[in-house]
Each structure stands twice: as structure tokens, then as C-alpha cells.
Amino acid sequence: MNVSLYDLSVWVLPLVIAITFHEAAHGFVAHRLGDDTAWQLGRVSFNPLRHIDPFGTLILPAMLLFAHSPFLFGYAKPVPVNFRKLNNPKLDMVWVALAGPVTNILLALLAALAFHALPLAPANSGQWIFDNLKNSLLINVVLAVFNMMPIPPLDGGRVAVGLLPRPLALPLARLEPFGMLILIAILILLPLAGSQFGLNLDVISAILRTLTGYVIKAVLFLTGNA
């Protein structure tokens, strides 16, 4: 696989910013709502080294890329949140979970707005800046959409646990220790197994790609780029 230094320079920076802001947002909102766990551990920070998980952020995406997986994903080091310390644990859990995806959408909007300033960029760096902005838009929307899947420990799963009535929330919350295994199964193993029998079982990935496309179109429309 031929990956140039230029490719790395226009993908790594937007990816690191997207992940760092996403995780810092969780910790910041938790701190504002009464839980200072992440704050005390220095996780409310824009230093990416505090949020990178060696396996989830680097090794897993690389493995999926070289294995030609139908869907690439990874994860950062989770920000610790003690939900019992929140002012209103059940409702505040929702706000803490939403903070990451909302931050990614805001970053996507900023990237799209910055397209309008490209004519002011130096001619020799215009393409590089454009590619960074384009990839920032894509990465942030993908992160927001992916993390809103209603499977704990993803943000969408925690939002669902916070909003659902107790009889439905408890069984969903109990899935959290197995959440990553479930994701790997439905996003990677199931499509690979289906391909062995000539079946297209890549349903979830297709839904995520469709939703991502709609959100990108909405962001471009709202920022006058449609």
C-alpha cells in the first residue's frame, strides 16, 4: 500500500485534532456538571498524547486498513467519568456523552466555513490546506455518526441508557463490557463471513456511510458550500 508523506500530513493532523477535542469535551462537560475525575487526571487537555490509545488509535485502524476491511474504526483512551458524582447522574450522563459528537460536528462546521478563506491562502500551500480541511470535515462527521451508534460504550449507547426507561436501560448498560466485541462482529467479522458465501452482510457500514453522506451535505449547505 503506497502511502506518501503528503497523505500522512493531510490525514494525521485532522484526525489527531478530532480525537483530542472529542475526548477533552467529555471531560470538560463532566467537570462542569460536578465530576472532576478527568480534570484531576489531566484529561481535560488538548495534548493528544493524553488521549491516544496505542491499540485503539494506532494499531487497530492500521490492521483494518491493511486487511482491506469494509469499515475502518478505532478509539481513543476513554475519558474517565464517575457518573455518581454528576449533579443529576442519569440526565447528565446524556450531556457528557453528547459532548464528544457535538464537538466533532462543530469542528466539521468550522472546517467547512474555512473553505471560504482558501482564496487568501498562499498559492503554494492552498492544496495542502484544502486537503486538510476536506479530511477534517470527513473525519469529524464520521466520528460523530459512528459514536452515536446506540451500543455502549459508544456515546450513542450512553445517551440511550440515559434516556430509556429503567427496564430497557439496564439490559443495554450491561452490554458495555462487550461493546467493542459487538462492534467488531457486526462491522468486520459479519461482512467478511458473508463475503465467503457471496452474501452482502455489510448492512451497518452501509447505513453509517449513508448517514455520514447526509450529514456532510447538511454541513456544506449550512456553511454556504452547497
mmCIF file of all heavy atoms in Angstrom, residues 65-88:
data_model
loop_
_atom_site.group_PDB
_atom_site.id
_atom_site.type_symbol
_atom_site.label_atom_id
_atom_site.label_comp_id
_atom_site.label_asym_id
_atom_site.label_seq_id
_atom_site.Cartn_x
_atom_site.Cartn_y
_atom_site.Cartn_z
ATOM 1 N N LEU A 65 -6.954 -1.403 7.955
ATOM 2 C CA LEU A 65 -6.593 -0.818 6.664
ATOM 3 C C LEU A 65 -5.870 -1.831 5.797
ATOM 4 O O LEU A 65 -6.205 -2.036 4.623
ATOM 5 C CB LEU A 65 -5.717 0.421 6.898
ATOM 6 C CG LEU A 65 -5.279 1.194 5.657
ATOM 7 C CD1 LEU A 65 -6.485 1.814 4.959
ATOM 8 C CD2 LEU A 65 -4.277 2.275 6.028
ATOM 9 N N PHE A 66 -4.875 -2.511 6.369
ATOM 10 C CA PHE A 66 -4.098 -3.468 5.591
ATOM 11 C C PHE A 66 -4.869 -4.752 5.317
ATOM 12 O O PHE A 66 -4.538 -5.493 4.391
ATOM 13 C CB PHE A 66 -2.781 -3.778 6.315
ATOM 14 C CG PHE A 66 -1.779 -2.661 6.217
ATOM 15 C CD1 PHE A 66 -1.498 -1.868 7.316
ATOM 16 C CD2 PHE A 66 -1.128 -2.387 5.023
ATOM 17 C CE1 PHE A 66 -0.589 -0.820 7.233
ATOM 18 C CE2 PHE A 66 -0.218 -1.348 4.927
ATOM 19 C CZ PHE A 66 0.058 -0.561 6.027
ATOM 20 N N ALA A 67 -5.911 -5.014 6.124
ATOM 21 C CA ALA A 67 -6.754 -6.191 5.876
ATOM 22 C C ALA A 67 -7.883 -5.890 4.901
ATOM 23 O O ALA A 67 -8.704 -6.751 4.616
ATOM 24 C CB ALA A 67 -7.332 -6.702 7.192
ATOM 25 N N HIS A 68 -7.929 -4.632 4.384
ATOM 26 C CA HIS A 68 -8.973 -4.207 3.448
ATOM 27 C C HIS A 68 -10.365 -4.395 4.052
ATOM 28 O O HIS A 68 -11.291 -4.863 3.381
ATOM 29 C CB HIS A 68 -8.870 -4.966 2.118
ATOM 30 C CG HIS A 68 -7.544 -4.804 1.449
ATOM 31 N ND1 HIS A 68 -7.156 -3.635 0.828
ATOM 32 C CD2 HIS A 68 -6.489 -5.655 1.323
ATOM 33 C CE1 HIS A 68 -5.938 -3.782 0.332
ATOM 34 N NE2 HIS A 68 -5.499 -4.993 0.632
ATOM 35 N N SER A 69 -10.492 -4.040 5.332
ATOM 36 C CA SER A 69 -11.781 -4.141 5.999
ATOM 37 C C SER A 69 -12.795 -3.222 5.319
ATOM 38 O O SER A 69 -12.445 -2.140 4.844
ATOM 39 C CB SER A 69 -11.640 -3.735 7.471
ATOM 40 O OG SER A 69 -12.892 -3.514 8.065
ATOM 41 N N PRO A 70 -14.080 -3.639 5.266
ATOM 42 C CA PRO A 70 -15.101 -2.789 4.658
ATOM 43 C C PRO A 70 -15.379 -1.519 5.453
ATOM 44 O O PRO A 70 -15.985 -0.592 4.941
ATOM 45 C CB PRO A 70 -16.344 -3.691 4.631
ATOM 46 C CG PRO A 70 -16.097 -4.705 5.699
ATOM 47 C CD PRO A 70 -14.621 -4.937 5.698
ATOM 48 N N PHE A 71 -14.964 -1.481 6.715
ATOM 49 C CA PHE A 71 -15.197 -0.284 7.526
ATOM 50 C C PHE A 71 -14.039 -0.111 8.491
ATOM 51 O O PHE A 71 -13.652 -1.049 9.169
ATOM 52 C CB PHE A 71 -16.508 -0.397 8.303
ATOM 53 C CG PHE A 71 -16.963 0.911 8.895
ATOM 54 C CD1 PHE A 71 -17.739 1.789 8.164
ATOM 55 C CD2 PHE A 71 -16.589 1.271 10.176
ATOM 56 C CE1 PHE A 71 -18.155 2.997 8.698
ATOM 57 C CE2 PHE A 71 -16.996 2.476 10.727
ATOM 58 C CZ PHE A 71 -17.776 3.339 9.986
ATOM 59 N N LEU A 72 -13.445 1.087 8.507
ATOM 60 C CA LEU A 72 -12.343 1.373 9.398
ATOM 61 C C LEU A 72 -12.847 2.099 10.637
ATOM 62 O O LEU A 72 -13.673 2.998 10.526
ATOM 63 C CB LEU A 72 -11.295 2.250 8.693
ATOM 64 C CG LEU A 72 -10.606 1.653 7.468
ATOM 65 C CD1 LEU A 72 -9.607 2.655 6.902
ATOM 66 C CD2 LEU A 72 -9.921 0.346 7.798
ATOM 67 N N PHE A 73 -12.367 1.694 11.798
ATOM 68 C CA PHE A 73 -12.692 2.437 13.001
ATOM 69 C C PHE A 73 -11.605 2.221 14.042
ATOM 70 O O PHE A 73 -10.761 1.325 13.924
ATOM 71 C CB PHE A 73 -14.066 2.047 13.557
ATOM 72 C CG PHE A 73 -14.103 0.727 14.283
ATOM 73 C CD1 PHE A 73 -14.016 0.663 15.664
ATOM 74 C CD2 PHE A 73 -14.242 -0.465 13.581
ATOM 75 C CE1 PHE A 73 -14.069 -0.552 16.332
ATOM 76 C CE2 PHE A 73 -14.303 -1.679 14.244
ATOM 77 C CZ PHE A 73 -14.211 -1.718 15.612
ATOM 78 N N GLY A 74 -11.601 3.059 15.024
ATOM 79 C CA GLY A 74 -10.672 2.951 16.132
ATOM 80 C C GLY A 74 -11.254 3.710 17.304
ATOM 81 O O GLY A 74 -12.390 4.165 17.267
ATOM 82 N N TYR A 75 -10.472 3.851 18.339
ATOM 83 C CA TYR A 75 -10.971 4.567 19.503
ATOM 84 C C TYR A 75 -9.800 5.165 20.273
ATOM 85 O O TYR A 75 -8.656 4.706 20.157
ATOM 86 C CB TYR A 75 -11.784 3.644 20.424
ATOM 87 C CG TYR A 75 -11.056 2.379 20.847
ATOM 88 C CD1 TYR A 75 -10.272 2.360 22.001
ATOM 89 C CD2 TYR A 75 -11.160 1.214 20.096
ATOM 90 C CE1 TYR A 75 -9.608 1.216 22.383
ATOM 91 C CE2 TYR A 75 -10.495 0.065 20.477
ATOM 92 C CZ TYR A 75 -9.726 0.062 21.619
ATOM 93 O OH TYR A 75 -9.057 -1.068 21.991
ATOM 94 N N ALA A 76 -10.085 6.207 21.019
ATOM 95 C CA ALA A 76 -9.082 6.843 21.863
ATOM 96 C C ALA A 76 -9.190 6.272 23.277
ATOM 97 O O ALA A 76 -10.073 5.469 23.581
ATOM 98 C CB ALA A 76 -9.291 8.353 21.874
ATOM 99 N N LYS A 77 -8.281 6.695 24.128
ATOM 100 C CA LYS A 77 -8.334 6.288 25.530
ATOM 101 C C LYS A 77 -9.576 6.929 26.159
ATOM 102 O O LYS A 77 -9.712 8.155 26.134
ATOM 103 C CB LYS A 77 -7.071 6.755 26.246
ATOM 104 C CG LYS A 77 -6.902 6.200 27.655
ATOM 105 C CD LYS A 77 -5.708 6.844 28.329
ATOM 106 C CE LYS A 77 -4.432 6.616 27.540
ATOM 107 N NZ LYS A 77 -3.266 7.255 28.208
ATOM 108 N N PRO A 78 -10.503 6.131 26.679
ATOM 109 C CA PRO A 78 -11.743 6.713 27.219
ATOM 110 C C PRO A 78 -11.470 7.687 28.363
ATOM 111 O O PRO A 78 -10.613 7.443 29.211
ATOM 112 C CB PRO A 78 -12.530 5.491 27.715
ATOM 113 C CG PRO A 78 -11.924 4.326 26.992
ATOM 114 C CD PRO A 78 -10.481 4.672 26.782
ATOM 115 N N VAL A 79 -12.192 8.790 28.350
ATOM 116 C CA VAL A 79 -12.091 9.752 29.452
ATOM 117 C C VAL A 79 -12.850 9.188 30.658
ATOM 118 O O VAL A 79 -14.022 8.815 30.539
ATOM 119 C CB VAL A 79 -12.682 11.118 29.042
ATOM 120 C CG1 VAL A 79 -12.870 12.018 30.256
ATOM 121 C CG2 VAL A 79 -11.780 11.801 28.023
ATOM 122 N N PRO A 80 -12.199 9.092 31.816
ATOM 123 C CA PRO A 80 -12.889 8.530 32.993
ATOM 124 C C PRO A 80 -13.958 9.479 33.510
ATOM 125 O O PRO A 80 -13.706 10.668 33.714
ATOM 126 C CB PRO A 80 -11.753 8.363 34.016
ATOM 127 C CG PRO A 80 -10.726 9.366 33.607
ATOM 128 C CD PRO A 80 -10.805 9.472 32.115
ATOM 129 N N VAL A 81 -15.150 8.950 33.689
ATOM 130 C CA VAL A 81 -16.258 9.732 34.231
ATOM 131 C C VAL A 81 -16.904 8.925 35.353
ATOM 132 O O VAL A 81 -17.279 7.765 35.161
ATOM 133 C CB VAL A 81 -17.318 10.055 33.150
ATOM 134 C CG1 VAL A 81 -18.476 10.833 33.775
ATOM 135 C CG2 VAL A 81 -16.703 10.850 32.010
ATOM 136 N N ASN A 82 -17.000 9.530 36.522
ATOM 137 C CA ASN A 82 -17.686 8.907 37.655
ATOM 138 C C ASN A 82 -19.113 9.453 37.665
ATOM 139 O O ASN A 82 -19.361 10.556 38.168
ATOM 140 C CB ASN A 82 -16.967 9.223 38.963
ATOM 141 C CG ASN A 82 -17.587 8.517 40.148
ATOM 142 O OD1 ASN A 82 -18.694 7.979 40.063
ATOM 143 N ND2 ASN A 82 -16.892 8.508 41.270
ATOM 144 N N PHE A 83 -20.034 8.697 37.079
ATOM 145 C CA PHE A 83 -21.389 9.204 36.903
ATOM 146 C C PHE A 83 -22.086 9.491 38.236
ATOM 147 O O PHE A 83 -22.983 10.330 38.300
ATOM 148 C CB PHE A 83 -22.210 8.212 36.069
ATOM 149 C CG PHE A 83 -21.710 8.077 34.659
ATOM 150 C CD1 PHE A 83 -21.068 6.922 34.243
ATOM 151 C CD2 PHE A 83 -21.869 9.112 33.754
ATOM 152 C CE1 PHE A 83 -20.598 6.802 32.947
ATOM 153 C CE2 PHE A 83 -21.396 9.004 32.455
ATOM 154 C CZ PHE A 83 -20.765 7.844 32.048
ATOM 155 N N ARG A 84 -21.648 8.816 39.306
ATOM 156 C CA ARG A 84 -22.269 9.059 40.615
ATOM 157 C C ARG A 84 -21.969 10.464 41.138
ATOM 158 O O ARG A 84 -22.704 10.988 41.974
ATOM 159 C CB ARG A 84 -21.780 8.017 41.631
ATOM 160 C CG ARG A 84 -22.275 6.600 41.359
ATOM 161 C CD ARG A 84 -21.899 5.664 42.509
ATOM 162 N NE ARG A 84 -22.353 4.310 42.282
ATOM 163 C CZ ARG A 84 -21.642 3.379 41.645
ATOM 164 N NH1 ARG A 84 -20.440 3.695 41.175
ATOM 165 N NH2 ARG A 84 -22.124 2.162 41.477
ATOM 166 N N LYS A 85 -20.891 11.070 40.663
ATOM 167 C CA LYS A 85 -20.515 12.399 41.131
ATOM 168 C C LYS A 85 -21.206 13.514 40.343
ATOM 169 O O LYS A 85 -21.103 14.686 40.710
ATOM 170 C CB LYS A 85 -18.993 12.576 41.053
ATOM 171 C CG LYS A 85 -18.227 11.663 42.007
ATOM 172 C CD LYS A 85 -16.725 11.810 41.839
ATOM 173 C CE LYS A 85 -16.225 13.174 42.308
ATOM 174 N NZ LYS A 85 -14.744 13.261 42.261
ATOM 175 N N LEU A 86 -21.880 13.165 39.260
ATOM 176 C CA LEU A 86 -22.586 14.181 38.479
ATOM 177 C C LEU A 86 -23.775 14.717 39.268
ATOM 178 O O LEU A 86 -24.358 14.006 40.100
ATOM 179 C CB LEU A 86 -23.057 13.580 37.159
ATOM 180 C CG LEU A 86 -21.951 13.140 36.187
ATOM 181 C CD1 LEU A 86 -22.534 12.353 35.018
ATOM 182 C CD2 LEU A 86 -21.173 14.347 35.671
ATOM 183 N N ASN A 87 -24.135 15.940 39.013
ATOM 184 C CA ASN A 87 -25.234 16.571 39.763
ATOM 185 C C ASN A 87 -26.542 15.813 39.601
ATOM 186 O O ASN A 87 -27.292 15.616 40.558
ATOM 187 C CB ASN A 87 -25.419 18.020 39.289
ATOM 188 C CG ASN A 87 -24.170 18.855 39.522
ATOM 189 O OD1 ASN A 87 -23.440 18.639 40.485
ATOM 190 N ND2 ASN A 87 -23.915 19.804 38.638
ATOM 191 N N ASN A 88 -26.826 15.388 38.378
ATOM 192 C CA ASN A 88 -28.032 14.612 38.067
ATOM 193 C C ASN A 88 -27.575 13.444 37.199
ATOM 194 O O ASN A 88 -27.596 13.534 35.968
ATOM 195 C CB ASN A 88 -29.040 15.489 37.324
ATOM 196 C CG ASN A 88 -30.353 14.784 37.067
ATOM 197 O OD1 ASN A 88 -30.445 13.562 37.203
ATOM 198 N ND2 ASN A 88 -31.370 15.533 36.686
#
